[in-house]
Amino acid sequence: DIQMTQSPSTLSASVGDRVTITCRASQSISTWLAWYQQKPGKAPKLLIYKASSLESGVPSRFSGSGSGTEFTLTISSLQPDDFATYYCQQYNSYYITFGGGTKVEIK
Amino acid sequence: EVQLVESGGGLVQPAGSLRLSCAASGFTVSSNYMSWVRQAPGKGLEWVSIIYSGGSTYYADSLKGRFTISRDNSKNTLYLQMNSLRAEDTAVYYCASGVGNSWVWGQGTLVTVSS
């Protein structure tokens, strides 16, 4: 099974900050990686697919990069609506796995 | 509009069974890979099962044969049959589909296993 290690687990930031979340795969997954935002009581919302493709309707302040085993999600200027939990997901193999999540809190 | 709507969740006693449904619209279930993902209260996302367009199915090792994924092409609906339910199966269950290179998720259905 491919393990996804996401860091940090918690991040305290202010509105306007540049935020970076990292996801590391235990083996190469090419670019078969997605990023999600989740708010309490809601389904995950797709932000990025194929490592760097922005989902339609998602603000351009969100961006993804990486390939192989190292991936990052960057929020260029944190907005009040962005305080949430973020997950990465690999879908390179049939055994899909998720990172443990990063909670972005208000500093 | 591409959409997934889950149903069938509820309260069930330990060792009981439940069948979840996921109705798709805007795309064809049989032409895409369809998956179930669950989230226990206060926990992260856990992949449960997947069915590919060709019919191949795979399951998380932790389920030990208790769950079965299937689909009804005529109803464009995905199912998850859950047997021998345990307290630790309590979670919100989401269906999700890889449509093109992207992913579509439903809103989830809550399953509570308790006596």
Side-chain angles (χ1 to χ4, degrees), chain B residues 2 17 48-49 72 83 92 94 106 113 115:
Chain B
V2 174
S17 297
V48 170
S49 181
D72 185 329
N83 299 328
V92 175
Y94 298 98
V113 184
S115 54

Side-chain angles (χ1 to χ4, degrees), chain B residues 55-95:
Chain B
S56 298
T57 60
Y58 299 92
Y59 300 90
D61 292 342
S62 61
L63 298 179
K64 296 182 179 178
R66 298 184 295 121
F67 291 10
T68 303
I69 192 172
S70 63
R71 67 189 182 208
D72 185 329
N73 296 340
S74 65
K75 296 182 178 178
N76 210 33
T77 298
L78 176 74
Y79 300 101
L80 185 69
Q81 177 67 43
M82 304 186 295
N83 299 328
S84 304
L85 283 162
R86 306 166 180 169
E88 54 265 36
D89 295 318
T90 294
V92 175
Y93 285 74
Y94 298 98
C95 66

Side-chain angles (χ1 to χ4, degrees), chain A residues 15-86:
Chain A
V15 172
D17 283 352
R18 181 182 181 87
V19 167
T20 299
I21 298 169
T22 299
C23 207
R24 180 177 293 111
S26 60
Q27 64 189 74
S28 177
I29 58 169
S30 184
T31 56
W32 298 108
L33 185 103
W35 288 99
Y36 295 88
Q37 177 194 70
Q38 189 179 35
K39 295 182 178 180
K42 300 294 186 181
K45 174 187 176 183
L46 180 67
L47 302 173
I48 302 286
Y49 61 93
K50 280 282 292 197
S52 60
S53 295
L54 190 67
E55 174 72 351
S56 177
V58 173
S60 59
R61 62 181 180 273
F62 291 93
S63 64
S65 65
S67 66
T69 61
E70 296 280 338
F71 301 87
T72 58
L73 172 70
T74 300
I75 309 172
S76 60
S77 178
L78 198 65
Q79 298 302 300
D81 190 49
D82 301 339
F83 292 97
T85 300
Y86 294 83

Side-chain angles (χ1 to χ4, degrees), chain B residues 22-71:
Chain B
C22 172
S25 57
F27 71 101
T28 303
V29 162
S30 60
S31 299
N32 295 276
Y33 50 90
M34 304 289 298
S35 189
W36 288 98
V37 176
R38 68 183 181 181
Q39 187 171 37
K43 302 297 184 182
L45 300 168
E46 179 188 17
W47 173 73
V48 170
S49 181
I50 193 167
I51 182 168
Y52 284 92
S53 56
S56 298
T57 60
Y58 299 92
Y59 300 90
D61 292 342
S62 61
L63 298 179
K64 296 182 179 178
R66 298 184 295 121
F67 291 10
T68 303
I69 192 172
S70 63
R71 67 189 182 208

